[in-house]
Amino acid sequence: MKEQKEIVAYLKDKGFIYPGSDIYGGLANSWDYGPLGAILKDNIKQLWKKTFIDEQHNVFHLDSSIILNSKVWKASGHIDRFSDPLVDCKSCKQRYRADDLLKQANHKNVSTLSLEELTKGINKLQCPNCSKQNWTNVREFNLMFKMSNSKINLNDDEIYLRPETAQGVFINFKNIMDTISPKLPFGVGQVGKAFRNEVTPGNFIFRTKEFDQLELEFFCHPNDANKWFKFYNHEIQSFLKNTLNLKSKYIKEFHVPTKELAHYSTKTIDFEFKFPFGWAELLGLANRTDYDLKTHSEHSNDELLVIDPITKEKYTPYVIETSIGVERLLFAIVSNHLKTIIVDDEERDILQLPFALAPIKIAIAPLTNKIEKQAFKLYEKLLKDSIGSIIFIKGGSIGKRYRKQDQIGTPFVITYDFDSQQDHQVTIRERDSKKQTRVKIDEITTFIQNHAK
Ligand code: GAP
């Protein structure tokens, strides 16, 4: 795996990810997705939706609001409990998560410590920045982004940007039941922005204040929750290893100890990835029990439960949740698939993305400028065949053009040459094997479909 600084530089140079607000000197930990990064991010979302929603029985889409009634966050526990323990160094003014500092100092069961206990532990440590031992007390810092509402109504004065997309699903449970009447078990998935006022954002796009989540809430009978937990564990493993082709040696499960579970969960597995900076959480699988539906039933005027059509049993469904950050996934995918190969004593970058993720699927290259017009006609024809994103590349030697496409992960380059005019054939070059095959123009689409991996 390449080093983090090489990956960051590569992603900027090739037009995937730029520092946010770049021309104004940037904004710490904010990133913009360039022409290739925007497509890659979108391809990840589409592939997740296909795998976890469209190809599953009884799983539905949702697109709920980012700004919700504050009562949602009171009921969900986010206003009271969604916080990190914060501590400042009084000497250098550096701010830290107290639990992170203690974990780095090998303290055990840190997440179970009270604020007083955390403060006691911190007071024994030196500041990693200035080496002084001059700390504030540890205090809770709520991670939700608070905004003020323009409406003059005290109750609506404080509103928040959602810190997870999941609550949008829970508060629409009744709407979904009343309108499309799904039979249990069923799932609701959604993709959307989430915001957290992280105390220590960082490690490139790993932890940011604004990110996209891919979340699936699967509602089932409480007795079946373990079965569906196992099912989604298997689906996640398969998605990571078979669909995204991430190496098994870079993935491990961390079974979150009972004492460290989030307030809504009775069982959580964090799937960790070996990022260039070390092992860290890539995504989570949790048994959220009936916590969310019950708490929203208590706080709203609605009973969020179901009645079994046969046994007439009345119950609150359990929820199995898979939750992934798109940016973390993108970071893992690029770290896994970006390689350096040596050809003729020369180092070359190659991004060996699965076909479904590649930002550009096909590049059309006229062998020389003289046949550019004819090659462009082929390009226009293929654009209409919906095989995926296609670009036209001219100028420079064909070898150089191949290498440039390898660098950005384009699986196929089609070369139109002088013979193409007569024999109506082109040469298709495959990124990973470098194999070149002569293919009839009419059979290009079938060839790509058969060889896309
Ligand atoms: N609904 C459950 C939930 O939000 P979480 O463990 O807090 O659980 C789920 O977050 C996933 O969202 C994480 O595994 C990670 O992939 C992503 N994520 C969370 N905070 C993030 C941040 N600040 N920046 C980028 N991704 C983040």
Side-chain angles (χ1 to χ4, degrees), residues 22-163:
D22 209 6
I23 62 165
Y24 286 102
L27 173 70
N29 305 109
S30 126
W31 304 93
D32 291 341
Y33 290 75
L36 294 181
I39 312 181
L40 177 54
K41 216 171 157 186
D42 196 47
N43 288 348
I44 295 171
K45 293 178 192 175
Q46 296 306 331
L47 198 53
W48 180 84
K49 283 194 216 172
K50 180 170 172 282
T51 313
F52 284 88
I53 303 180
D54 300 334
E55 290 178 353
Q56 301 285 342
H57 175 60
N58 240 8
V59 181
F60 307 97
H61 290 260
L62 184 78
D63 183 0
S64 66
S65 302
I66 287 176
I67 302 168
L68 308 176
N69 188 318
S70 298
K71 289 176 189 163
V72 174
W73 306 115
K74 184 71 191 158
S76 68
H78 283 83
I79 287 183
D80 296 327
R81 280 184 269 198
F82 192 58
S83 55
D84 280 340
L86 190 93
V87 69
D88 295 320
C89 170
K90 288 196 261 185
S91 298
C92 70
K93 310 287 177 232
Q94 194 76 17
R95 178 163 282 183
Y96 299 95
R97 269 179 64 169
D99 52 343
D100 281 351
L101 286 183
L102 288 173
K103 272 185 207 156
Q104 282 156 20
N106 288 327
H107 278 246
K108 298 274 175 284
N109 296 328
V110 171
S111 52
T112 60
L113 299 181
S114 66
L115 289 178
E116 290 71 31
E117 287 165 329
L118 286 167
T119 303
K120 225 171 148 189
I122 287 290
N123 280 332
K124 294 186 186 135
L125 303 180
Q126 291 179 336
C127 169
N129 188 45
C130 70
S131 305
K132 300 264 167 50
Q133 248 172 317
N134 188 16
W135 299 104
T136 61
N137 285 342
V138 177
R139 59 204 184 278
E140 292 289 358
F141 178 77
N142 193 290
L143 297 183
M144 280 202 295
F145 266 105
K146 204 186 277 181
M147 301 181 306
S148 60
N149 203 348
S150 55
K151 220 171 123 192
I152 308 172
N153 175 347
L154 278 183
N155 292 334
D156 289 340
D157 202 30
E158 279 188 352
I159 50 172
Y160 303 89
L161 295 177
R162 67 180 174 198

Side-chain angles (χ1 to χ4, degrees), residues 321-334:
E321 173 185 80
T322 67
S323 177
I324 316 179
V326 180
E327 293 78 1
R328 278 190 196 180
L329 207 47
L330 188 151
F331 191 6
I333 288 166
V334 174

Side-chain angles (χ1 to χ4, degrees), residues 78 82 143 163-167 170 194-198 200-202 204-217 262 264 268-271 275 281-286 288 321-329:
H78 283 83
F82 192 58
L143 297 183
E164 62 169 6
T165 65
Q167 296 304 323
F170 303 134
F195 303 82
R196 294 184 189 180
N197 203 354
E198 297 282 2
T200 50
F204 185 38
I205 52 171
F206 177 79
R207 180 172 286 114
T208 46
K209 297 194 174 205
E210 168 187 345
F211 55 100
D212 277 288
Q213 275 189 323
L214 308 163
E215 294 206 297
L216 175 71
E217 312 302 322
Y264 52 75
T268 296
I269 296 179
D270 287 344
F271 287 78
F275 288 95
E281 177 187 333
L282 174 61
L283 67 103
L285 168 66
R288 289 186 80 126
E321 173 185 80
T322 67
S323 177
I324 316 179
V326 180
E327 293 78 1
R328 278 190 196 180
L329 207 47

